[in-house]
Amino acid sequence: MSPSPPRFVQITIGTVVAAVLVAGMVRTSPARSTVSAAWRDASTTASWAGAWGAAVQPPVDGWSKKGFENQTVRQVVRLSTGGSQVRIRLSNLYGTRPLRVDGATLGRSAGGGMVWPRTLTPLAFDGRAGVVIPAGRDAVSDPVAFSTSALERLSVSLKFSGRTGQATFHRHAMSSSYRAQGDHLLDQGSGAFTQSSPSWYYLSGVEVSGAAVPRDRNTVVAFGGALVDGVGSTAGADRRFPDLLAERLVAAHRPLAVTNAGIAAGRLLSDSGCGGEEGLTRFRRDVLERPGVRSVIVSLGAHDIAAPEGGDPCVRPGPRVTAEQVIAGHRTLIRAAHARGIKAVGMTIPPMRGAPVPYLGPGGEKVRQAVNAWIRTGGAYDSVADADRAMADRADARLPRSGYVHLDGVHPNDAGHLAIAGTVDLDAL
């Protein structure tokens, strides 16, 4: 089944704006509920930290469209913080049928599809080896005693005996998933895992708990589009700015987790063919309903501004937006975060005019500048991370610094992600 056509949010300025935006953010249907009882319970349990996470999206291509049958999928993630217990979250949000997971294991990654000997640990769901997740829902595994450290990589393997149908996934993992025919949950080696994909499937969170995990509000969520998702950084190297922010926190001996909730091509105000649902809709599940969230870094609006002018089919079609509309969307997210006692950090939009094919014309540039001026001086955000100034060329602030930008001329490279991570005030998190 193909993803639903993009739905566009038409926003008018004035009092009607807030009502329309808030309704757009909180709407949910019984058939597409993203919050299981376990998820609701977790959102009030401060001893669990979101050590790793991915924002899920509808199937787009490859494995996500075909799904799996009689296969084992092994996925490697890097934790932002450690603990003495672990549990995982699985999502069937965009599935068209109940998802049967026949088994799951956890282990320490030894690189690629390999797992360190004697670390493979079976996972259970309500005491059972497998779980059936209804379409539109999610599941959380039982906690398992498993000592983890900040910045180490874990391997999560899922076994699917029957046909899964289309897969809820995260497209740009900036990492690899591995697939094997048959049951290879307990394989330490990678010999059976002969196929790989640059995406994550069904896995939406890895959480840790233990004495070293702060009991009250212990997780920072980076919420946004391609910048948060890490487009332009080196695949498999964990050089996205949220990864580098996690490293800064570890070096500063601050026991906070960092969860990545970015989706490349994602927009604030309208859905995207490749970027999934609008930010106003997914903010609830990707930020408000994750456990232990103390702050959110918001980096959205770039694709809203550029979509009408760019040639990327992943972000088209897109309605033209004004600075006032983008700012109204940001205000809605800020109010929602503050209502839950979550700090909101605003990230400015970096330069977007360095691409070989112009990605942003003069009109869009004016909107970008106006939105950035409001983020810096509007006073609505609790603090500001100025990615724009970190990335801007010193001779022409409309262009990115050549040493900080990927070959596409728009997205930051590893050096750019490092510079952006450095703009976040750790004391403000």
Side-chain angles (χ1 to χ4, degrees):
M1 177 176 176
S2 300
S4 301
R7 294 174 290 108
F8 303 124
V9 177
Q10 301 298 324
I11 303 174
T12 351
I13 308 307
T15 343
V16 180
V17 172
V20 172
L21 291 178
V22 171
M25 180 178 66
V26 302
R27 68 175 180 269
T28 183
S29 66
R32 287 291 184 184
S33 171
T34 64
V35 188
S36 67
W39 189 293
R40 285 194 296 269
D41 291 344
S43 68
T44 59
T45 305
S47 59
W48 287 96
W52 175 88
V56 298
Q57 58 193 111
V60 175
D61 51 25
W63 295 2
S64 69
K65 297 286 282 188
K66 295 179 182 178
F68 306 95
E69 182 179 11
N70 188 31
Q71 292 169 327
T72 302
V73 178
R74 178 163 288 176
Q75 306 177 74
V76 179
V77 303
R78 189 178 81 156
L79 303 186
S80 58
T81 192
S84 56
Q85 293 189 97
V86 179
R87 66 186 186 188
I88 68 170
R89 294 189 177 277
L90 302 177
S91 175
N92 191 28
L93 177 62
Y94 299 107
T96 57
R97 65 180 74 176
L99 171 67
R100 182 179 185 88
V101 182
D102 295 286
T105 57
L106 178 76
R108 301 191 198 281
S109 172
M114 297 185 294
V115 179
W116 279 104
R118 297 181 295 280
T119 68
L120 275 167
T121 304
L123 297 174
F125 299 82
D126 291 330
R128 300 180 179 87
V131 63
V132 177
I133 310 173
R137 303 301 295 267
D138 57 75
V140 59
S141 72
D142 301 336
V144 61
F146 194 100
S147 178
T148 56
S149 302
L151 309 182
E152 80 165 310
R153 290 181 174 86
L154 297 186
S155 177
V156 177
S157 301
L158 306 174
K159 175 191 170 187
F160 307 103
S161 296
R163 295 185 63 183
T164 65
Q166 67 180 32
T168 297
F169 87 136
H170 182 88
R171 190 182 190 200
H172 289 286
M174 304 309 297
S175 181
S176 293
S177 295
Y178 305 92
R179 184 169 68 178
Q181 292 297 128
D183 180 1
H184 294 276
L185 283 177
L186 297 177
D187 285 22
Q188 297 177 7
S190 59
F193 293 90
T194 57
Q195 297 176 307
S196 64
S197 165
S199 303
W200 286 306
Y201 301 87
Y202 301 114
L203 186 64
S204 62
V206 177
E207 296 163 7
V208 301
S209 183
V213 178
R215 293 194 61 81
D216 184 34
R217 296 193 178 276
N218 47 40
T219 301
V220 179
V221 178
F223 180 77
L227 178 62
V228 177
D229 211 2
V231 175
S233 66
T234 301
D238 297 307
R239 305 317 288 165
R240 301 168 295 182
F241 99 75
D243 301 320
L244 299 168
L245 175 61
E247 292 179 9
R248 286 187 61 203
L249 288 166
V250 170
H253 303 288
R254 304 194 183 202
L256 296 179
V258 178
T259 292
N260 190 317
I263 297 181
R267 295 196 288 248
L268 174 64
L269 304 177
S270 60
D271 294 356
S272 165
C274 296
E277 293 176 287
E278 63 188 20
L280 296 173
T281 297
R282 68 182 184 89
F283 192 75
R284 171 187 283 270
R285 69 168 179 265
D286 288 340
V287 178
L288 303 182
E289 289 165 350
R290 289 188 182 267
V293 177
R294 63 180 286 136
S295 57
V296 57
I297 302 170
V298 178
S299 172
L300 268 178
H303 283 295
D304 297 77
I305 297 169
E309 302 182 13
D312 187 348
C314 270
V315 297
R316 291 185 297 157
R320 289 191 178 273
V321 298
T322 65
E324 290 79 11
Q325 290 172 326
V326 176
I327 290 168
H330 277 268
R331 286 190 183 277
T332 299
L333 300 188
I334 294 167
R335 286 195 299 270
H338 286 171
R340 297 290 185 92
I342 297 171
K343 297 178 183 179
V345 179
M347 179 166 282
T348 54
I349 303 170
M352 294 190 290
R353 298 194 70 183
V357 177
Y359 193 68
L360 193 67
E365 177 64 17
K366 289 181 180 178
V367 174
R368 185 185 77 91
Q369 294 285 2
V371 171
N372 281 350
W374 174 82
I375 292 174
R376 292 187 184 105
T377 65
Y381 278 108
D382 298 296
S383 67
V384 174
D386 207 332
D388 177 34
R389 288 179 177 162
M391 286 292 295
D393 186 87
R394 293 179 182 178
D396 185 347
R398 297 171 300 175
L399 302 175
R401 297 188 189 188
S402 58
Y404 283 6
V405 73
H406 184 63
L407 291 176
D408 63 11
V410 175
H411 298 102
N413 59 16
D414 291 357
H417 278 278
L418 181 61
I420 290 170
T423 66
V424 179
D425 181 1
L426 300 187
D427 291 330
L429 297 178

